[in-house]
Amino acid sequence: MDRTAKKKATIYDLSVLSGCSPSTVSAVLNGSWRQRRIKESTAELIQGLAAKHQYTANLQARGLRRSRSGLVGLLLPVHDTRYFSSMAQTFEACVRSRGQCPVVVSACRDPQEERQIVETLISYSIEALIVAGATDPDGVHAVCEAAGLRHVNIDLPGTKAASVISDNYAGARLLTEAIVRRCGADRPLDATDLHLFGGRDDHASRERIRGFRDAKRDVLGADPDGCITPTGYSPTTSRLAFEDYFERNGRLPRGLFVNSSINLEGLIRFMAHHPNDTFTDLVVGCYDYDPFGSFLPFPVIMIRQDVETMIARAFALLDEGRPAARIHLVTPELVPPRTALRGPLDALKDEAPA
Amino acid sequence: MDRTAKKKATIYDLSVLSGCSPSTVSAVLNGSWRQRRIKESTAELIQGLAAKHQYTANLQARGLRRSRSGLVGLLLPVHDTRYFSSMAQTFEACVRSRGQCPVVVSACRDPQEERQIVETLISYSIEALIVAGATDPDGVHAVCEAAGLRHVNIDLPGTKAASVISDNYAGARLLTEAIVRRCGADRPLDATDLHLFGGRDDHASRERIRGFRDAKRDVLGADPDGCITPTGYSPTTSRLAFEDYFERNGRLPRGLFVNSSINLEGLIRFMAHHPNDTFTDLVVGCYDYDPFGSFLPFPVIMIRQDVETMIARAFALLDEGRPAARIHLVTPELVPPRTALRGPLDALKDEAPA
DNA sequence: AGTAGCTGCACCATCGATTGTGCAATGCGA
DNA sequence: TCGCATTGCACAATCGATGGTGCAGCTACT
């Protein structure tokens, strides 16, 4: 019943133990002791005591005094997607390598949540924030600005802060062309038979749609209306859109441009309710890379966004202090069907199994 | 060039503005004003000023004073897996519904990192911690214990703290039987033709192996040695194990028990280098559910661990204060091939597309 | 009038660390 | 030996919020 939640040692404890003043202890333990001209032997004494008593600094106290916390935030729409979870993974490694502490949170694509969560992070005195895929980046910007918080958009751009995003237009063109190429191998594709599903009224969707249409016009010579069905970023609504198309047309289009892996989940939900042979002959292109998504029973061409570069670029901008509110494009990569790319987890060493 | 990073308003600012003392302002703004017998009109005055000046409490200062922070931690092995990212998603919702702030971090399965990251979280005075899939749960426990931090293991159990885990033995039996059933539809399965890949020397792997072997003995009447290849939790080493098996035997086994979706990624990496017809006839059972993994071109039977229940149970234990160091089993669910389950994202409302 | 009891708030120590400043002791050169 | 520079550290204010305690002013009752 050792219910003693032993109080953690403080600089005052070590001050008493060492016979030095708290300020000396503080200086020794935060590394500023040389410039404060503390004797090496004093430093060693205190460091020894600190180790012995398992001293660790109270970071809230430090943060209060310094009015910063050592925390760096990443605001995601959701965690549960390989795209965003790989972003979290990469972000975390990056932040740790700078000796800071990552805080990854998600706001469920709700503009109000986004702002409120950022308020909270600001209340904890986070030092910088990456705003990924925000529904209302400029709303978030206002909150950050009011608090003087460095921040950068990623994935979806805002107009008020620097943004690092994929070249969605170029990616969509690439993807569209690849779908056509893949379809055309046997018999030529009709322009109405290449349909885009997913996305909504955000910058990424608009750019992808633009790329899709331009590519169709260039490659198929036509871009009829009615070949685009926005569904939002929800598997359920996506599925309903596929069902709807299927009911209207008795089949799916031969070529499918799917706006994101979340929408692709809608497609497999649709599939789960339909026999396999509904999909012979189907060619899918999908934004976002998911390793399993790449190995579905029909060809899935994916666009892998370069998360590592985007995050790195975002940090570079944060380091700049006050970067211009412009958009930085990062080139995404076309991933042929049945391709297993390496991911952030491959950077980890895994100990040899027993 | 409004470079003024306006200092945030404090209770002292509002104190001056309102003509009340800082303690009154504090009481009003943290809700304790009724029990401090502050006049309603005073409260309204201060609340008005707070709203007008966009006051938000400095949570580091509050945390310092109260010696707790409102932060609740989740320690993951990695983010970039549907299993763990869905855990993060569920955890976050849970924490927010309690009015606290989630902090999700990953330690890459490195015992030393695990301890060090937890030390850091403790330095921020987090109030509770869920330790998910830790490589060294008892090491983490020691750190928490020394700081008097409430914590619960999840996914992988420890011996010193309460643990909520899947019933891996039962799940593995279910899965093994399901694989056999699926294989046996055409021609009976030889016991050597059902092989387990993945996992390492942790509780989950051991239980799954035990379930696998017992089920084989029961259903196939034999459980020859050499049908188990631990690979660790890395796609690359998993892939190498499949390659190795393939080279030795000229083919894969007909029935494959894959220890986790990470190991399944190893399988698709293997597949990427082999023609499709290497896998006709293959039946895979895989621990962890991944929506796309469920739709691969061969039957993949999955075990979905009940993350919602596990997290809920974990919070219940945390609320108990000092729960006994026992293991709580949660029953996982068998997921037939080509099944699209709903996930945490389905709880989100998505606004209708434009 | 005296007092008991309430109302409504102010005062002040405190949480743990940081940092500008002051000062005694020592060293050193002239 | 005097004076100045340097060394090595202590002091105390401060970051923003919290909560125990004290106390003036008013009411109500005897």
Side-chain angles (χ1 to χ4, degrees):
Chain A
M1 289 307 166
D2 186 9
R3 201 60 202 80
T4 46
K6 309 124 191 164
K7 302 291 292 176
K8 302 209 61 166
T10 71
I11 54 169
Y12 298 98
D13 301 329
L14 298 182
S15 156
V16 172
L17 290 170
S18 66
C20 300
S21 78
S23 59
T24 301
V25 175
S26 170
V28 167
L29 294 175
N30 71 25
S32 70
W33 57 279
R34 284 188 187 287
Q35 56 176 323
R36 283 184 89 82
R37 299 189 322 239
I38 306 288
K39 237 193 308 180
E40 184 118 20
S41 64
T42 308
E44 281 163 6
L45 167 67
I46 292 175
Q47 283 159 347
L49 286 172
K52 179 174 165 196
H53 293 273
Q54 317 218 63
Y55 170 85
T56 52
N58 181 323
L59 296 180
Q60 300 216 80
R62 171 178 297 170
L64 173 58
R65 185 57 233 253
R66 291 198 173 152
S67 68
R68 54 207 173 84
S69 60
L71 300 171
V72 180
L74 172 66
L75 178 70
L76 297 177
V78 295
H79 277 106
D80 197 15
T81 281
R82 291 297 291 262
Y83 175 49
F84 290 119
S85 63
S86 71
M87 199 176 275
Q89 193 82 48
T90 306
F91 170 79
E92 185 163 344
C94 233
V95 173
R96 287 204 196 287
S97 76
R98 303 164 147 243
Q100 300 183 294
C101 184
V103 177
V104 182
V105 293
S106 74
C108 305
R109 290 205 170 77
D110 177 334
Q112 206 178 329
E113 277 269 296
E114 285 172 357
R115 270 176 276 121
Q116 205 211 291
I117 288 177
V118 170
E119 292 273 21
T120 305
L121 293 181
I122 288 174
S123 293
Y124 283 107
S125 309
I126 62 166
E127 298 184 16
L129 177 66
I130 295 186
V131 181
T135 295
D136 178 18
D138 288 343
V140 171
H141 166 84
V143 174
C144 293
E145 185 66 10
L149 175 62
R150 286 180 298 156
H151 61 292
V152 165
N153 296 309
I154 197 172
D155 186 58
L156 283 178
T159 65
K160 312 278 190 63
S163 305
V164 181
I165 65 173
S166 286
D167 188 339
N168 286 305
Y169 177 78
R173 286 200 65 128
L174 266 184
L175 186 55
T176 309
E177 290 161 14
I179 297 171
V180 172
R181 215 176 306 127
R182 184 89 190 196
C183 282
D186 32 2
R187 59 207 162 91
L189 189 62
D190 186 84
T192 61
D193 232 4
L194 177 50
H195 200 103
L196 184 151
F197 283 88
R200 60 187 196 195
D201 188 28
D202 54 41
H203 186 276
S205 300
R206 283 193 300 270
E207 284 297 287
R208 290 172 195 174
I209 289 173
R210 198 164 64 83
F212 173 75
R213 304 194 80 145
D214 283 2
K216 275 181 82 170
R217 218 170 297 119
D218 289 358
V219 182
L220 298 180
D223 168 36
D225 285 338
C227 291
I228 291 175
T229 308
T231 64
Y233 293 104
S234 140
T236 300
T237 56
S238 308
R239 180 197 151 194
L240 294 177
F242 290 115
E243 295 283 7
D244 187 65
Y245 186 101
F246 187 76
E247 263 184 39
R248 277 185 214 285
N249 301 277
R251 60 181 188 88
L252 288 184
R254 284 177 57 206
L256 232 46
F257 184 117
V258 179
N259 188 72
S260 87
S261 63
I262 293 192
N263 300 304
L264 188 62
E265 275 200 61
L267 180 59
I268 63 170
R269 291 195 185 182
F270 168 85
M271 291 172 50
H273 295 273
H274 293 267
N276 243 335
D277 56 9
T278 312
F279 314 104
T280 55
D281 204 45
L282 182 66
V283 173
V284 173
C286 179
Y287 235 92
D288 299 344
Y289 170 71
D290 181 295
F292 296 117
S294 183
F295 279 83
L296 297 181
F298 40 82
V300 179
I301 309 161
M302 306 194 108
I303 292 284
R304 187 187 120 92
Q305 306 194 54
D306 188 348
V307 167
E308 294 76 12
T309 301
M310 290 167 75
I311 291 280
R313 202 70 77 81
F315 274 100
L317 286 167
L318 287 176
D319 288 337
E320 263 182 40
R322 174 148 276 241
R326 57 175 290 258
I327 291 181
H328 301 256
L329 288 183
V330 173
T331 305
E333 170 191 5
L334 186 79
V335 183
R338 288 175 44 86
T339 304
L341 296 179
R342 301 172 61 84
L345 299 193
D346 288 294
L348 279 45
K349 56 186 180 315
D350 191 27
E351 65 184 65
Chain B
M1 288 311 168
D2 187 8
R3 201 58 203 82
T4 47
K6 309 124 191 164
K7 301 292 293 176
K8 303 209 60 168
T10 71
I11 53 169
Y12 298 97
D13 301 329
L14 298 183
S15 156
V16 171
L17 291 169
S18 67
C20 300
S21 77
S23 59
T24 301
V25 176
S26 170
V28 168
L29 294 174
N30 70 26
S32 69
W33 58 280
R34 283 187 188 287
Q35 56 177 321
R36 283 183 87 83
R37 301 189 321 242
I38 307 288
K39 238 195 309 182
E40 184 117 20
S41 63
T42 308
E44 280 164 7
L45 166 67
I46 292 175
Q47 283 159 348
L49 285 172
K52 178 174 167 198
H53 293 273
Q54 319 218 62
Y55 170 85
T56 52
N58 180 323
L59 296 179
Q60 300 216 77
R62 170 179 296 171
L64 174 59
R65 184 58 231 256
R66 291 198 175 152
S67 68
R68 57 211 174 82
S69 59
L71 299 170
V72 180
L74 171 66
L75 178 70
L76 296 177
V78 296
H79 277 106
D80 197 14
T81 281
R82 291 298 289 262
Y83 176 48
F84 289 119
S85 63
S86 70
M87 199 175 275
Q89 193 82 48
T90 306
F91 170 81
E92 185 164 344
C94 234
V95 173
R96 286 202 197 288
S97 75
R98 303 165 146 244
Q100 300 184 293
C101 183
V103 177
V104 183
V105 293
S106 74
C108 305
R109 292 205 169 79
D110 177 332
Q112 206 179 329
E113 278 268 296
E114 286 172 356
R115 269 175 277 121
Q116 205 211 292
I117 289 177
V118 170
E119 291 272 22
T120 304
L121 293 181
I122 289 174
S123 294
Y124 282 108
S125 309
I126 61 167
E127 298 183 17
L129 177 67
I130 295 186
V131 181
T135 295
D136 178 18
D138 288 343
V140 171
H141 166 83
V143 173
C144 293
E145 185 66 10
L149 175 63
R150 286 179 300 156
H151 60 293
V152 164
N153 297 308
I154 197 172
D155 187 57
L156 282 178
T159 64
K160 312 278 189 61
S163 304
V164 181
I165 64 174
S166 285
D167 187 340
N168 286 305
Y169 177 77
R173 285 201 67 128
L174 267 184
L175 187 55
T176 309
E177 289 160 15
I179 297 170
V180 172
R181 214 175 309 127
R182 183 87 190 197
C183 282
D186 32 0
R187 57 208 160 90
L189 189 62
D190 185 85
T192 59
D193 232 4
L194 178 50
H195 199 103
L196 184 152
F197 284 88
R200 58 187 198 195
D201 188 29
D202 54 41
H203 185 276
S205 299
R206 282 193 301 271
E207 285 296 287
R208 290 172 194 173
I209 289 174
R210 196 163 65 81
F212 174 74
R213 304 195 80 144
D214 284 1
K216 275 182 81 170
R217 217 171 297 118
D218 288 358
V219 182
L220 298 180
D223 169 35
D225 286 338
C227 291
I228 291 173
T229 308
T231 64
Y233 292 103
S234 142
T236 300
T237 56
S238 307
R239 182 200 150 191
L240 294 178
F242 290 115
E243 294 284 7
D244 186 65
Y245 186 103
F246 187 76
E247 263 184 37
R248 279 185 213 286
N249 301 277
R251 61 181 187 88
L252 289 185
R254 286 177 56 206
L256 232 46
F257 184 118
V258 179
N259 187 73
S260 88
S261 64
I262 293 192
N263 299 305
L264 187 62
E265 275 201 61
L267 179 60
I268 63 169
R269 290 196 187 181
F270 168 84
M271 290 171 52
H273 295 274
H274 294 267
N276 243 335
D277 57 9
T278 312
F279 314 102
T280 56
D281 205 45
L282 182 65
V283 172
V284 173
C286 179
Y287 234 92
D288 298 345
Y289 170 72
D290 181 293
F292 296 119
S294 182
F295 279 81
L296 296 181
F298 40 82
V300 179
I301 309 160
M302 306 194 107
I303 293 284
R304 188 186 121 91
Q305 306 194 54
D306 187 349
V307 167
E308 294 76 11
T309 302
M310 290 167 74
I311 291 280
R313 203 72 76 81
F315 274 99
L317 286 168
L318 288 176
D319 287 339
E320 266 184 38
R322 174 147 276 240
R326 57 175 289 259
I327 292 181
H328 301 254
L329 288 184
V330 174
T331 306
E333 169 191 6
L334 187 78
V335 182
R338 289 175 43 86
T339 304
L341 298 178
R342 300 171 63 85
L345 299 193
D346 286 294
L348 280 44
K349 57 186 181 314
D350 191 26
E351 64 185 66

